[in-house]
Amino acid sequence: MNGGDYLDRERGSRDWRLLPAALCGWAASLAAHAGFDYCMNHDGILGLLPIVIIGTVPFVAVSGLAFLRLSEPLRHWLSIWHASVTMCAVAAVACASCALVYDLLQWRDPASRAAAGGEVVAVMVIRATSPAVSSDRRSNDCRLDARTLSITIDGIQQNSSARIRVYADQPECGKLRQGGTYEISGTISEAEYGAMPLWLTDAVMVERVRSPSMPMRVIDTMQQAFLTQTAQLSDQGKILVPGLTLGILGQDYVPVEGADAGIDSTYATQVEDAFRRSGIVHLMAVSGGHLAVVAALVRGVCSFFLAPRRVSALLVASAYVMLSACVFPSDSVSRALMMGLSGAACQFLGRRGQAMASLSWITLAMLMVCPQMSQSFGFALSCAAVLGIVLFAGTLNAWMMPVMPRFIAEAMSMTISAQVFTLPIQVLIEPELPIFSVPANLVVAPFVGFSTLAGLASLTISWLIPWLGLQLARVASWGTSVMELTALHLGSGERATIPWAGGIKGAVLVCVVEAICVLSAIATRRILTAMIVQEPDLPGKRLIVNPVERLRMWMERTRKALRELQWEE
């Protein structure tokens, strides 16, 4: 195959050229983080020099291959692949450099240096980046994520920009609001677990420096009104409707000062565990599916009123931003928002959206702007699910359509495609595999869309018309009740999951098993393709022999024979 043939095979609708670069950039960012941690624990800052050399030399070597005098076959091969390999090297060096700079800045931050010396009492000025939710530590009532602005230790104040998780008790929990700036006193230490590198425990608010902005206050009012209405639902509605709508389960949210949601903690734990073991826990986190439902609704309304393309694109982008601001912030929401805005920009320009190219560009951009994303399981699961759907959903749907109804084939292809790429990451988090993930997703699929829309409508209207918001929340709870029954029936018992090896070994083993399954499916398809018969009554049309298709043809021919017999009589 020559270079011209390679270029002729490129299609704008399936541009995968940047996918290797995104994978290389992600791997380089993880390697840079791991190398930095190793150097800090062993040889100190001087140990970073080998990392820089190892990362730079391959880039220079690969970039200079095109200028060497090489043999004709090797030069021909390089003319085809040199640009791709160079792009991978550029992405790797850029992501690794950003990760290294980020780690250095965090290491030199006064808050990080204070926490490295042990537990230290400090007064910090922080800006809350998330709402207050129930604490995962028994010694505190709530927690929230924040960004430090300054830290004062022994009367000495220093500027800071570290990410920190704040643990507090009532009544401070009800006073802390997302987007607000607060002066807080507490004990700072290195995190024992979780995504945040630092903890501020036993926090007490000294002073509110700045209230949240007007949009954030409006959003907080909407969330409080929505949670007030969901508190009047049944137990499953109190838990699952906020989870499906906001991305945070009802028992985890801290709505007002000293408020009690009235949720049985034992039942809440049972439901959450059942969702996890049945493989549908992703429904309780906001992802690209929520944005897709909202975008479809907005586009439908714009089409009904014959709105111009650019107006529709602007409205879709606005809906994306407003939805992302209203839900619980997470890495998966950020990824979905950026990809949604990319699709809206393509619609505005009149170009066809490309999911693979958009995913690759967004991944690289987020890894360079927020290098800590490469270590986020939520971001990894979100990207892996989208990658699997883009790569395999269409192919699996085409394979399943001849043997099953269309809506079942589409739901199964989406679920299986996402599971193939997310299972290795799930094993890293917890060493077990859900057995009934596919059937559970099939059962709840028809109810997810309308429950999500009903929940979002309730969130939008509850602060204006409470009684209507309650009715919409009740409609959303009808769908979540089906999800609860499915999770409790398929996620209970010892046979709901399969124990699996944990860590890197478990993830590699999952990849090996998946590769064997894919090869078996391809071999089976080729065998069935070889079993093609020529139908005498259908000249020029060749059909693969399968029971459903043969049964349909038999019924058609039987009816035809009966009609001919009746005509002859």
Side-chain angles (χ1 to χ4, degrees), residues 7-69:
L7 295 177
D8 291 339
R9 292 192 301 111
E10 289 296 321
R11 287 186 288 173
S13 61
R14 297 181 62 187
D15 190 355
W16 299 355
R17 291 172 294 178
L18 204 61
L19 177 60
L23 296 176
C24 291
W26 200 321
S29 181
L30 284 175
H33 287 303
F36 184 88
D37 293 339
Y38 178 83
C39 292
M40 292 299 101
N41 294 330
H42 292 80
D43 300 329
I45 192 66
L46 295 178
L48 296 176
L49 183 60
I51 299 178
V52 177
I53 295 176
I54 293 174
T56 305
V57 169
F59 167 67
V60 175
V62 171
S63 300
L65 286 176
F67 303 99
L68 300 178
R69 293 185 176 181

Side-chain angles (χ1 to χ4, degrees), residues 1 161 164-165 199 247 468 521 537:
M1 180 180 66
S161 61
I164 193 169
R165 177 159 290 174
W199 282 359
L468 181 57
D537 295 342

Side-chain angles (χ1 to χ4, degrees), residues 166-185:
V166 179
Y167 288 92
D169 298 312
Q170 293 287 5
E172 272 73 17
C173 293
K175 301 176 183 178
L176 300 174
R177 288 290 178 262
Q178 182 181 0
T181 303
Y182 305 95
E183 185 177 355
I184 293 182
S185 174

Side-chain angles (χ1 to χ4, degrees), residues 126-140:
I126 64 167
R127 184 175 64 252
T129 58
S130 74
V133 298
S134 298
S135 175
D136 51 4
R137 301 174 72 240
R138 294 183 180 273
S139 55
N140 297 110

Side-chain angles (χ1 to χ4, degrees), residues 182-251:
Y182 305 95
E183 185 177 355
I184 293 182
S185 174
T187 304
I188 185 173
S189 62
E190 292 184 338
E192 299 177 7
Y193 52 84
M196 289 293 176
L198 302 177
W199 282 359
L200 184 67
T201 56
D202 302 325
V204 178
M205 189 177 72
V206 178
E207 181 184 358
R208 184 174 62 186
V209 178
R210 182 179 300 170
S211 299
S213 62
M214 178 60 71
M216 295 306 301
R217 291 201 297 270
V218 172
I219 291 172
D220 183 70
T221 302
M222 293 172 59
Q223 292 174 343
Q224 298 296 341
F226 172 70
L227 290 167
T228 300
Q229 302 308 318
T230 57
Q232 305 178 47
L233 303 176
S234 61
D235 287 343
Q236 65 85 17
K238 295 177 184 178
I239 298 172
L240 300 180
V241 173
L244 185 66
T245 306
L246 298 176
I248 185 71
L249 296 177
Q251 73 272 16

Side-chain angles (χ1 to χ4, degrees), residues 75-338:
R75 181 180 294 276
H76 173 68
W77 184 86
L78 287 176
S79 66
I80 299 176
W81 297 102
H82 179 263
S84 299
V85 175
T86 302
M87 189 62 193
C88 291
V90 171
V93 172
C95 292
S97 301
C98 292
L100 184 59
V101 171
Y102 171 82
D103 288 338
L104 283 172
L105 292 176
Q106 292 296 309
W107 175 69
R108 290 177 55 86
D109 191 275
S112 300
R113 285 184 293 174
E119 295 185 353
V120 178
V121 177
V123 177
M124 309 183 71
V125 177
I126 64 167
R127 184 175 64 252
T129 58
S130 74
V133 298
S134 298
S135 175
D136 51 4
R137 301 174 72 240
R138 294 183 180 273
S139 55
N140 297 110
D141 295 334
C142 68
R143 62 178 172 88
L144 61 86
D145 296 336
R147 174 77 67 173
T148 62
L149 302 179
S150 67
I151 179 172
T152 303
I153 300 177
D154 297 332
I156 301 175
Q157 182 177 4
Q158 294 177 300
N159 294 329
S160 174
S161 61
R163 297 182 302 124
I164 193 169
R165 177 159 290 174
V166 179
Y167 288 92
D169 298 312
Q170 293 287 5
E172 272 73 17
C173 293
K175 301 176 183 178
L176 300 174
R177 288 290 178 262
Q178 182 181 0
T181 303
Y182 305 95
E183 185 177 355
I184 293 182
S185 174
T187 304
I188 185 173
S189 62
E190 292 184 338
E192 299 177 7
Y193 52 84
M196 289 293 176
L198 302 177
W199 282 359
L200 184 67
T201 56
D202 302 325
V204 178
M205 189 177 72
V206 178
E207 181 184 358
R208 184 174 62 186
V209 178
R210 182 179 300 170
S211 299
S213 62
M214 178 60 71
M216 295 306 301
R217 291 201 297 270
V218 172
I219 291 172
D220 183 70
T221 302
M222 293 172 59
Q223 292 174 343
Q224 298 296 341
F226 172 70
L227 290 167
T228 300
Q229 302 308 318
T230 57
Q232 305 178 47
L233 303 176
S234 61
D235 287 343
Q236 65 85 17
K238 295 177 184 178
I239 298 172
L240 300 180
V241 173
L244 185 66
T245 306
L246 298 176
I248 185 71
L249 296 177
Q251 73 272 16
D252 293 334
Y253 203 85
V254 181
V256 294
E257 298 183 21
D260 185 7
I263 298 176
D264 184 6
S265 58
T266 303
Y267 171 74
T269 303
Q270 179 186 6
V271 171
E272 187 174 0
D273 185 65
F275 268 73
R276 178 184 56 80
R277 291 168 60 86
S278 61
I280 56 175
V281 70
H282 61 276
L283 298 177
M284 298 298 106
V286 178
S287 61
H290 290 68
L291 272 69
V293 170
V294 173
L297 177 62
V298 174
R299 289 194 181 101
V301 173
C302 292
S303 298
F304 179 80
F305 289 102
L306 302 179
R309 183 192 72 247
R310 294 185 176 181
V311 174
S312 176
L314 292 176
L315 291 176
V316 168
S318 301
Y320 285 154
V321 174
M322 289 188 291
L323 176 60
S324 301
C326 291
V327 300
F328 190 82
S330 65
D331 296 338
S332 60
V333 172
S334 300
R335 194 276 315 160
L337 172 62
M338 297 305 297

